[in-house]
Amino acid sequence: FSVVTAGLSTWQNDPAEWGPGWRGFGKRYGSSLGRRVIANGVEASLGAVWAEDPRYHRIGEGKIAGRVGNVVKMTLLAYDRQGNTMPAYSRYAGLAVSSYSAFWLPDRQRDAADFFSRIAVGLTGRLTGNAMREFWPDLKKKMRRPKSSDELLRNQVK
C-alpha cells in the first residue's frame, strides 16, 4: 500500500517540496514507511498492555456481504484476550501518533486537515490489507492453473 500511495503522491507531486521523479518517490515512500513503523510500534506496544489482538481473523467462507462486513468491522475493532471484540484503541493511538509525529513532513502538511487525512489513509490501508487477507486465498485458487492433465481430469469429474 505504501508503494501505491507514494506513487500517487509522486504523480500529483504532493508535497511539491519533495519534487517529482524517483528522488521524490523515495522521500514519499520513506515517509509512508516511517509512519507505518511508528503506527505499528505504538499499536503493538499499547495492544500488549491493553490485551488487544490486532490480527485479522479470516472467515474464509460464507456470503460475500458477511465477509466484507467482517473486513470493515475488524478495521475498527480488535479482539481481547477472551476473544470478544472491542474498539481497537491501540490502532487508533498508533495512527494518531504516527500522523502527528511525522516531523519530516513540510510545515504546510502539519495542520489538522492533513493529520486527519493521514489517519484516514492509514485506516484505508488497514481495510485494504484485511480485504486482501480475506479474499486473496480464494482468488488465488481460482486463478491457479492445473499442474497436469491428470489434475484437469480430476477437476472435470467433480
Side-chain angles (χ1 to χ4, degrees), residues 35 92-102 105 108-122:
R35 289 193 314 272
Y92 307 147
L95 288 170
V97 168
S98 70
S99 294
Y100 182 75
S101 67
L105 291 171
R108 68 176 183 79
Q109 285 199 329
R110 295 185 51 82
D111 62 9
D114 287 309
F115 168 78
F116 287 111
S117 175
R118 285 189 294 276
I119 290 174
V121 167

Side-chain angles (χ1 to χ4, degrees), residues 44-66:
S45 301
L46 290 177
V49 171
W50 294 339
E52 291 179 19
D53 179 359
R55 295 173 297 174
Y56 179 77
H57 297 277
R58 181 174 186 264
I59 293 176
E61 57 187 31
K63 295 185 179 182
I64 297 235

Side-chain angles (χ1 to χ4, degrees), residues 4 7 34 39 68 74 80 133:
V4 173
V68 169
M74 296 315 298
D80 65 13
R133 286 178 193 88

Side-chain angles (χ1 to χ4, degrees), residues 2-152:
S2 295
V3 170
V4 173
T5 56
L8 289 172
S9 295
T10 302
W11 180 55
Q12 296 169 339
N13 196 27
D14 184 37
E17 292 87 343
W18 290 351
W22 287 110
R23 185 178 181 125
F25 173 83
K27 289 180 180 182
R28 291 173 183 93
Y29 183 64
S31 175
S32 181
L33 287 180
R35 289 193 314 272
R36 181 181 246 172
V37 165
I38 293 168
N40 288 347
V42 169
E43 181 177 2
S45 301
L46 290 177
V49 171
W50 294 339
E52 291 179 19
D53 179 359
R55 295 173 297 174
Y56 179 77
H57 297 277
R58 181 174 186 264
I59 293 176
E61 57 187 31
K63 295 185 179 182
I64 297 235
R67 293 173 72 186
V68 169
N70 189 60
V71 166
V72 173
K73 175 177 122 177
M74 296 315 298
T75 298
L76 303 171
L77 301 177
Y79 290 102
D80 65 13
R81 285 193 178 119
Q82 290 75 37
N84 303 310
T85 55
M86 61 182 281
Y89 296 120
S90 62
R91 182 170 307 140
Y92 307 147
L95 288 170
V97 168
S98 70
S99 294
Y100 182 75
S101 67
F103 57 86
W104 56 83
L105 291 171
D107 288 340
R108 68 176 183 79
Q109 285 199 329
R110 295 185 51 82
D111 62 9
D114 287 309
F115 168 78
F116 287 111
S117 175
R118 285 189 294 276
I119 290 174
V121 167
L123 285 172
T124 301
R126 176 64 65 129
L127 181 82
T128 303
N130 288 351
M132 291 300 290
R133 286 178 193 88
E134 183 64 42
F135 294 107
W136 182 248
D138 300 332
L139 293 171
K140 200 162 97 174
K141 278 183 198 172
K142 289 188 185 292
M143 294 185 318
R144 189 176 68 85
R145 288 185 177 183
K147 293 181 182 175
S148 67
S149 58
D150 291 337
E151 192 173 357
L152 266 173

